[in-house]
Amino acid sequence: MTDVIVVGGGPAGLSAAMFTQKNGLETTVFDTDGTWMHKAHLFNYLGLGSEDGTAFMATARRQVESYGVDLRQGEEVTDVSETDDGFAVETEDDSFESDYVVLATGANRELADSLGVAFDGDVVDVDITMETSVEDAYATGAMGRAEEWQAVISAGDGAAAALNILTKEKGEHYHDFDVPADADAAFGGMVDDE
């Protein structure tokens, strides 16, 4: 059993995973690398002047792995269901359990539908924290947005889901805010080899 399972490894999923793992929740990401980012070139992502989407994803994956996220590349989730203790996530070869699930599968809303979350038209109905009608299940990015499919919006949605999960776990509103003194501890292992 893990604390958080994230289905989808694009900007939303990796953002959620980074925040939860960084703050002490064991997190597993299942990713088939079907992200639209491979078709993108980022000129509109705050903090980046210009970066190829595939290069961005490689950097993002290294970042979440540096925090200890269990990143399961190429392992497709076939079903998500509620259990008495949280969620069961099925792949072709195995079954996993978690307290929370974050769905970050872009415009593919099949897993959300099979989980039984409420929809608003064609999109998953989420609140401002990205929580669905199923308690402790979150849907991020294009899952809950008809047309606002921007990497920076999706990353923010993932962060919102993660901070809500952390707030629930800690019993008070949680902020993930680092100061310069934290930088060496947080990023000391992230040395760019290029």
Side-chain angles (χ1 to χ4, degrees), residues 24-80:
L25 297 182
E26 187 178 323
T27 304
T28 300
V29 175
F30 293 92
D31 182 30
T32 60
D33 200 24
T35 179
W36 298 332
M37 292 299 292
H38 294 302
K39 298 176 182 177
H41 191 97
L42 300 176
F43 295 105
N44 59 355
Y45 199 109
L46 184 64
L48 297 178
S50 170
E51 186 165 19
D52 176 74
T54 298
F56 174 84
M57 291 309 303
T59 299
R61 286 185 189 115
R62 281 194 311 270
Q63 185 177 20
V64 299
E65 286 180 313
S66 76
Y67 283 112
V69 170
D70 180 12
L71 184 56
R72 294 175 171 263
Q73 284 298 125
E75 200 165 347
E76 183 176 2
V77 171
T78 57
D79 192 39
V80 177

Side-chain angles (χ1 to χ4, degrees), residues 141-186:
M143 297 192 79
R145 298 176 182 276
E147 297 298 330
E148 296 169 345
W149 300 349
Q150 295 290 79
V152 69
I153 293 173
S154 295
D157 286 351
L163 289 180
N164 192 58
I165 290 168
L166 289 161
T167 292
K168 285 183 176 189
E169 285 295 302
K170 297 185 183 292
E172 60 186 10
H173 193 73
Y174 187 77
H175 299 276
D176 181 293
F177 184 82
D178 294 310
V179 296
D182 300 332
D184 190 42

Side-chain angles (χ1 to χ4, degrees), residues 99-187:
D99 296 321
Y100 299 92
V101 68
V102 178
L103 301 174
T105 56
N108 182 341
R109 301 176 185 101
E110 292 173 8
L111 291 174
D113 190 37
S114 70
L115 182 57
V117 305
F119 277 71
D120 182 4
D122 291 335
V123 297
V124 176
D125 188 16
V126 294
D127 65 17
I128 196 165
T129 68
M130 310 318 301
E131 192 167 17
T132 70
S133 61
V134 174
E135 187 175 2
D136 299 331
Y138 297 79
T140 59
M143 297 192 79
R145 298 176 182 276
E147 297 298 330
E148 296 169 345
W149 300 349
Q150 295 290 79
V152 69
I153 293 173
S154 295
D157 286 351
L163 289 180
N164 192 58
I165 290 168
L166 289 161
T167 292
K168 285 183 176 189
E169 285 295 302
K170 297 185 183 292
E172 60 186 10
H173 193 73
Y174 187 77
H175 299 276
D176 181 293
F177 184 82
D178 294 310
V179 296
D182 300 332
D184 190 42
F187 301 108

